[in-house]
Amino acid sequence: MIKQPVAVHSVESVLYPFCNNPDQLSKEQIIRLLQLTGKEETFLQTAADKVRRENVGEEVHLRGLIEFSSYCRNDCLYCGLRRSNAKAHRYRLDPDEIVAVAAEGVRLGYRTLVLQSGEDLWYSSKTLARIVEQIKKLDVAVTLSIGERSFQEYKDFFLAGTDRFLLRFETSDPDLYQHLHPGQTLGARLRCLENLDRIGYQVGSGHIVGLPGQTLSILASDLLLLKELQPDMVGIGPFVPDPDTPLGGALPGDVDLTLRTVAICRLLLPWAHLPATTALATRDPAGYAKGLQYGANVVMPNITPLKYRLSYQIYPRRSNQSEAAGELAQARQLLQAMGRPIASSYGHSLKPGRNTK
Ligand code: SF4
């Protein structure tokens, strides 16, 4: 059931008595907001929607997602692509194929393409840089989402023309991070984010809601870490258990709690680009619409050829997937029904002081 917006005058009055300055929320206030229900929760949603409208407008940015490799060297406990998952189907698109899929995305009208994969070192920095150079000739913004690499590699991708980089920290709790990501540390992840920012990327980060072991206090800290990092883009999605992982039997992340988290993120980072995530749409068929009503302004339709996409199982997929044109048509239909126009610009960062190419 999609909520109807409630008329409000100011964010401050809406959130009173929870806080006086919504972008300066304390941890205690965030924990309180995360637990809102009923009418109070509607106030939070309406406030986030208002902040979204005033800061990033009504337009929704569509980013075409290309999942080009399902190989991963890591073993994250919650992810179906983890290297220990012998049941995962593995595939790699060769460079020419990636460029061909990108060209199809541009033909369909996308102004941003997101190249995503597991951490797959089969693609050297030279190979990836060449792929980006080819795609940039198509006059489109390029985002990479390929995990942790060295400073020099990040720089090479940037010099090849990459505009943006997505790297979520997943949880701000160092112990939980280490438990969920064997052999990895939160410190290393944060250093990568710092490097990306220093190089000049528009940086995206974010976290998961409802990870086993996560408390409301940790979730509030996740939001405060976002406030500290000031990323240009933030992806927040619920935990979706994959049966072929050690966390396959855990409870999934709560959709409403995820929506409240997205809404609070919008209050903390008014100018950020926030997607209504695929994970949200996987947990709830109305997930995209709800996310867009709780402060989101981005949707990332999948343009990976279906024969590969069904093997990219970070978690079990929606069953009603279609080829690139069909996914785009569904997104357009939804936005039309919601009265939200589709942006025609590249959708670069709106962060104050951020230089874009
Ligand atoms: S979450 Fe990312 S890094 Fe971790 S196993 Fe999955 S694809 Fe690899």
Side-chain angles (χ1 to χ4, degrees), residues 72 74-76 78-79 81-82 118-119:
C72 187
N74 291 330
D75 219 16
C76 309
Y78 50 81
C79 178
L81 298 189
R82 64 198 306 265
E119 282 197 16

Side-chain angles (χ1 to χ4, degrees), residues 127-148:
T127 305
L128 273 172
R130 249 186 261 125
I131 293 168
V132 171
E133 275 166 9
Q134 293 297 313
I135 295 177
K136 284 301 288 182
K137 288 183 191 156
L138 302 169
D139 186 24
V140 66
V142 173
T143 303
L144 284 180
S145 175
I146 57 167
E148 296 186 14

Side-chain angles (χ1 to χ4, degrees), residues 261-273:
T261 309
V262 171
I264 298 166
C265 181
R266 172 57 72 200
L267 300 182
L268 293 170
L269 300 172
W271 34 259
H273 286 309

Side-chain angles (χ1 to χ4, degrees), residues 66 117 123 133 155 228 259 349:
I66 304 172
S117 69
Y123 299 89
E133 275 166 9
K155 199 160 178 189
E228 191 186 319
L259 291 168
S349 172

Side-chain angles (χ1 to χ4, degrees), residues 99-114:
V99 176
V101 175
E104 173 63 5
V106 172
R107 194 191 65 77
L108 288 170
Y110 286 103
R111 306 304 311 277
T112 290
L113 298 174
V114 181

